[in-house]
Amino acid sequence: MKTLLPLIALAIPASVTAQTGTFVLPQGVEKFQRTENDQSYLGRGGSSYNGSTVYVPMHIQNTFPMAEVPVTAAKVLGIAMRRNNYYGNAMYASATDLTVHMSTAAGAADQASSTFASNEGTNRAQVWGTGGSTATLNWPAAPYVNNGQQPLPFVLKIPFSNPFVLIASSGKSICIDYYITKRTSPYQSGPNTYEANLFLDATGTVYGNRTENGGYQSACKFSDGTGQGGIGYTRGGLTENGGAWYVNYTVPLNTIGVATISGYGVNTPNNPFNNPIDLTAFGAPGCKWMVGLETGFWVALKTTNYTSNASANWPQLQIPAGLKPGTEFFDQGLFIDTKANKLGLIPSWSSTWTIEKYYQPLVSTVYKHQDTTPPSTTGSVRRNFAVITEFTY
């Protein structure tokens, strides 16, 4: 195969090599914005933050299925990523010293080996940097865009210094191999400079989705001065297959509460409850009720105390199988705090829960952090997970 590929490349018609087009792998994910981001791998910051681990040098491979490539032959001119717009954190300008190699291989992309070399083909070629040496890649800042969590353009580009000839018949998978020796993505907070992570958009196994229902109510506070706390939850049952679902709310110690679910939320069309309902007139200024009250379904929350706060936990419920993808429901808790306001109640943060079609992308990520000389031959494998990548040809 190694000796035949140059001849095959010469046989590619000029009309194929001259065209300009793009495709995205895994196929179809460019249309959606999910919660997955790759800051633990390709986007990890390059230096210590408040004593945290220094991750460079880093070796990362993403493998993608050749069967999802929409062309039979192409000269790949570069690849690009985008930031994950689910997170509101700013993504700062960065400079990364790295090499990038690309190849096609016989193995299935979702079955990548922990041995880096096993995922590469004999046509392995350096596409960023030359002669095995790194080159500096400068990416612009990619700030959060408040657009309803819609996906962003692929503006984080790696233009290949050496185009890669991609032949669909040359293997079952595409392997992109990154070796990062240095990264700086600094931001300032007061007199100090810190390193920021890059929230690159990634794909993983798709379960149901959680989004905001009405947003965080910063003026709605418990009597100890704390606001609506964080939440914990599971999404595994939020597919057409059904399964377990629960949510818990962070609250002050010893807080007692109940919670409900509804088919109506803040943005639900034809909502007879006209949510959100401002509770100021009822004696709870700054607080809002975000969900409908049609079900009459209320559960008592079990409070578990920790050192400085508590977790108010739903019992685990079973989502029935057969729900149509796109089906939504909404939750909200209500907590007793007689000293907080005249009403004596504080509502929780509210969420929109969406049933989605179960999906496993046929991809893998192989990674090794602190990959010092001599580089490790093996790394850790995360199957069905990879950075969403746009290919330009």
Side-chain angles (χ1 to χ4, degrees):
M1 181 67 72
K2 184 174 181 180
T3 57
L4 289 177
L5 278 176
L7 298 176
I8 295 174
L10 291 174
I12 297 175
S15 59
V16 174
T17 58
Q19 67 179 317
T20 299
T22 62
F23 60 87
V24 174
L25 297 179
Q27 195 176 67
V29 295
E30 70 275 12
K31 303 173 185 177
F32 304 102
Q33 172 63 73
R34 311 216 186 264
T35 61
E36 296 282 358
N37 76 95
D38 196 52
Q39 65 159 321
S40 295
Y41 302 96
L42 187 57
R44 175 63 75 177
S47 64
S48 176
Y49 172 68
N50 287 351
S52 61
T53 303
V54 178
Y55 284 83
V56 293
M58 294 185 287
H59 190 181
I60 301 106
Q61 285 181 341
N62 282 173
T63 57
F64 300 98
M66 185 70 79
E68 295 184 5
V69 175
V71 293
T72 57
K75 182 183 289 185
V76 181
L77 305 175
I79 55 177
M81 291 79 171
R82 65 186 182 192
R83 71 153 288 151
N84 183 288
N85 204 40
Y86 178 83
Y87 297 89
N89 312 58
M91 190 163 132
Y92 298 88
S94 62
T96 303
D97 293 351
L98 79 163
T99 62
V100 183
H101 290 77
M102 190 168 168
S103 63
T104 57
D110 61 336
Q111 297 298 316
S113 169
S114 60
T115 301
F116 289 107
S118 296
N119 304 317
E120 298 172 334
T122 56
N123 60 339
R124 183 178 189 266
Q126 185 169 358
V127 294
W128 178 263
T130 56
S133 298
T134 63
T136 302
L137 175 68
N138 292 295
W139 272 350
Y144 172 74
V145 179
N146 188 7
N147 64 357
Q149 298 176 357
Q150 295 302 306
L152 298 179
F154 290 87
V155 299
L156 305 170
K157 300 177 182 289
I158 304 179
F160 286 174
S161 49
N162 302 296
F164 182 83
V165 176
L166 179 64
I167 308 295
S169 60
S170 63
K172 292 183 179 179
S173 62
I174 299 171
C175 178
I176 305 178
D177 183 283
Y178 307 88
Y179 192 79
I180 298 170
T181 59
K182 181 182 179 182
R183 172 181 287 134
T184 57
S185 50
Y187 73 97
Q188 286 188 311
S189 179
N192 300 314
T193 299
Y194 300 103
E195 281 294 322
N197 293 319
L198 310 179
F199 287 84
L200 302 184
D201 202 12
T203 185
T205 301
V206 174
Y207 303 105
N209 202 20
R210 181 259 170 197
T211 54
E212 299 288 341
N213 177 41
Y216 183 76
Q217 303 178 57
S218 59
C220 187
K221 296 184 181 296
F222 289 94
S223 58
D224 67 352
T226 61
Q228 297 172 320
I231 62 172
Y233 54 89
T234 181
R235 297 181 295 124
L238 299 175
T239 73
E240 74 277 18
N241 299 324
W245 174 81
Y246 70 84
V247 62
N248 56 62
Y249 315 98
T250 300
V251 294
L253 295 169
N254 302 309
T255 301
I256 297 174
V258 294
T260 188
I261 57 175
S262 169
Y264 295 99
V266 170
N267 295 315
T268 309
N270 303 315
N271 183 345
F273 300 95
N274 198 29
N275 300 108
I277 300 171
D278 192 336
L279 300 181
T280 299
F282 299 93
C287 300
K288 296 178 181 180
W289 186 252
M290 303 294 192
V291 305
L293 298 168
E294 81 282 4
T295 63
F297 175 78
W298 291 87
V299 296
L301 301 174
K302 181 180 179 181
T303 300
T304 302
N305 287 324
Y306 299 105
T307 303
S308 59
N309 54 32
S311 177
N313 308 306
W314 274 76
Q316 182 171 290
L317 302 181
Q318 287 294 122
I319 303 297
L323 292 181
K324 184 180 179 180
T327 301
E328 294 182 338
F329 65 95
F330 309 84
D331 78 288
Q332 195 163 16
L334 197 59
F335 301 102
I336 298 173
D337 190 336
T338 57
K339 297 180 180 180
N341 51 49
K342 291 183 180 180
L343 182 62
L345 297 171
I346 295 292
S348 76
W349 210 347
S350 180
S351 302
T352 303
W353 307 95
T354 306
I355 304 298
E356 297 197 29
K357 185 174 178 59
Y358 180 75
Y359 165 69
Q360 274 197 320
L362 303 177
V363 296
S364 297
T365 294
V366 188
Y367 61 97
K368 174 68 176 179
H369 298 150
Q370 296 181 317
D371 191 20
T372 55
T373 304
S376 174
T377 58
T378 61
S380 300
V381 181
R382 189 174 182 186
R383 303 193 194 284
N384 310 115
F385 179 93
V387 174
I388 297 171
T389 303
E390 180 188 69
F391 295 72
T392 298
Y393 62 95

